[in-house]
Amino acid sequence: MGSYWDFSTVNEISILPALMIAAQYDRARILRPTWRPKAINVHRWEPQVRRFLEEVGFLELCGVRDKTEEMLHYSDVSLLRFRRGETVDGQAVGEYFAQLGIDLGTENPMLYDAITEAITNVINHAYGKEQLNPAQTVKAWWLCAMLKTGQAHKELSIVVYDQGASIPRTLPYSTKYESIKKSLLDLFGIDFDSDDPTNDAKAISCAMRPGASATGESHRGRGLAQIVEVLDLSLGGHLSIYSRQGSVEAKKSPGGSVEISPVNRAMAIIGTAIVWHLVL
Amino acid sequence: MATVINIAKDFSPFPGGRERSDGPHTGQAFREDFLAPALEKGHVTLVLDGVMGLPSSFFEEALGGLVRTRFTLRQLRELLTIEAKTARMSLYPARGWDFIERAAMHPPSPGPLKKSA
């Protein structure tokens, strides 16, 4: 990671890259406590970019402001500063959403289930000890949420992000790896190699099938399905999973089935991000 | 002896995670510290209302884990009642029994494979 990044060339930023940037700098600061990322030319940044990076907590990491508000409101958007955790801490999740005025205790329980399952997957699978350099790894999850209230419906965006080994790289550790490999061969004609990112998106889409888990034990493996299930709550909502070079979008069809679209991207990301956009 | 266990009140309204090492309110902790000891003494009514949710890792480990560790499906049918009175949690008792029945049908498999070098 360089010593500074000039965001004055960025025209617009969304919640996912804002969180990923903040999380990477957060990890760097944990590993090197005396280091502080530099934000330069802040006055020249596009207002939307500055606002997102400020609200998500990045500018505080840079020391541009010592302590920003936990949540700043502007226009019809409320974006919460990210939360980091290293265990499945449902209370922290509940308190986080309460700041947005969302009581997970009265919302459909599928919402809490999906978020905590995503965090459980991070804790159990993202940071395989054989795959990552411990000197550069912080075994954590980062959570961020944004609420748009200006239209007829509320739009809730949630991101759970980790900086782990990625879904495609952890698949060979599964006893269901052979089943996933067979699905890739049968459905797409692909002989999957976890070191080759070319087919990451299709590999993720096969791993999302109910019952496919990273451990292969028969009692595990509903996690990814439950992460998708929350789309039942939301007409017009969708879920995106980004992992290494793969991205998969899942949305409900008018008939109620889940349509999954895998797309491989030119650039890899570190780890895995799960993004829900829900229309409430 | 009959016992009523309310997950939200007796354990936590914020359940999540499978094994103890996952977090503060996991399925393994609930099963080992609350549910299994109560079932050893007699009938248990498990009340689900009041929790934020019941993530599958938690719920499966709490209930399916009973079969993997100490109890048969037949014993649990006699000893356990899973109850949800609110509409919000109405789907979860059937999901809980599904976890128990699946655990009874599928005994634990060997652990995960190691990736070859």
Side-chain angles (χ1 to χ4, degrees), chain B residues 8-69:
Chain B
K9 290 179 182 168
D10 298 324
F11 182 65
S12 171
F14 305 99
R18 181 178 289 276
E19 293 163 5
R20 280 187 191 273
S21 58
D22 289 349
H25 302 297
T26 66
Q28 183 186 9
F30 177 68
R31 172 169 50 80
E32 291 180 349
D33 299 347
F34 288 82
L35 189 51
L39 284 165
E40 294 283 1
K41 294 175 187 166
H43 186 271
V44 172
T45 300
L46 181 63
V47 179
L48 309 183
D49 302 301
V51 292
M52 300 281 130
L54 288 167
S56 60
S57 293
F58 171 88
F59 207 25
E60 200 290 330
E61 185 62 35
L63 296 178
L66 292 170
V67 179
R68 286 189 293 277
T69 54

Side-chain angles (χ1 to χ4, degrees), chain A residues 19-143:
Chain A
L19 176 63
M20 289 171 63
I21 290 165
Q24 292 215 34
Y25 278 92
D26 187 41
R27 174 171 61 97
R29 281 200 63 195
I30 293 168
L31 296 171
R32 292 169 58 195
T34 57
W35 176 78
R36 177 161 263 185
K38 289 183 183 138
I40 64 167
N41 296 329
V42 175
H43 61 286
R44 285 169 42 195
W45 295 9
E46 287 291 329
Q48 188 270 348
V49 174
R50 176 172 174 157
R51 206 156 45 208
F52 259 56
L53 288 172
E54 181 166 16
E55 291 178 11
V56 83
F58 173 73
L59 288 184
E60 187 184 323
L61 289 174
C62 298
V64 173
R65 292 181 62 170
D66 285 338
K67 186 72 180 172
T68 56
E69 297 294 322
E70 188 71 20
M71 176 175 67
L72 295 179
H73 302 273
Y74 65 93
S75 177
D76 57 352
V77 175
S78 301
L79 176 65
L80 270 180
R81 183 185 307 152
F82 74 81
R83 177 74 57 96
R84 174 186 1 102
E86 295 176 6
T87 63
V88 185
D89 186 348
Q91 186 162 356
V93 171
E95 290 169 357
Y96 184 76
F97 281 89
Q99 294 176 81
L100 275 179
I102 294 171
D103 179 0
L104 292 180
T106 57
E107 294 288 338
N108 189 301
M110 282 194 284
L111 184 56
Y112 174 86
D113 291 352
I115 297 163
T116 47
E117 273 307 300
I119 289 172
T120 302
N121 280 349
V122 172
I123 301 302
N124 285 317
H125 308 307
Y127 298 100
K129 58 188 173 190
E130 294 172 55
Q131 298 153 338
L132 297 166
N133 179 351
Q136 295 180 2
T137 303
V138 174
K139 295 181 178 181
W141 50 263
W142 285 263
L143 171 67

Side-chain angles (χ1 to χ4, degrees), chain A residues 196-242:
Chain A
D196 174 8
T198 315
N199 298 305
D200 282 357
K202 288 169 182 163
I204 298 165
S205 71
C206 287
M208 288 170 71
R209 290 175 306 115
S213 91
T215 67
E217 292 170 77
S218 60
H219 56 286
R220 299 173 187 255
R222 265 194 51 80
L224 272 175
Q226 201 161 37
I227 286 165
V228 177
E229 198 174 66
V230 73
L231 295 178
D232 286 341
L233 297 177
S234 174
L235 287 173
H238 63 273
L239 158 75
S240 300
I241 298 179
Y242 302 85

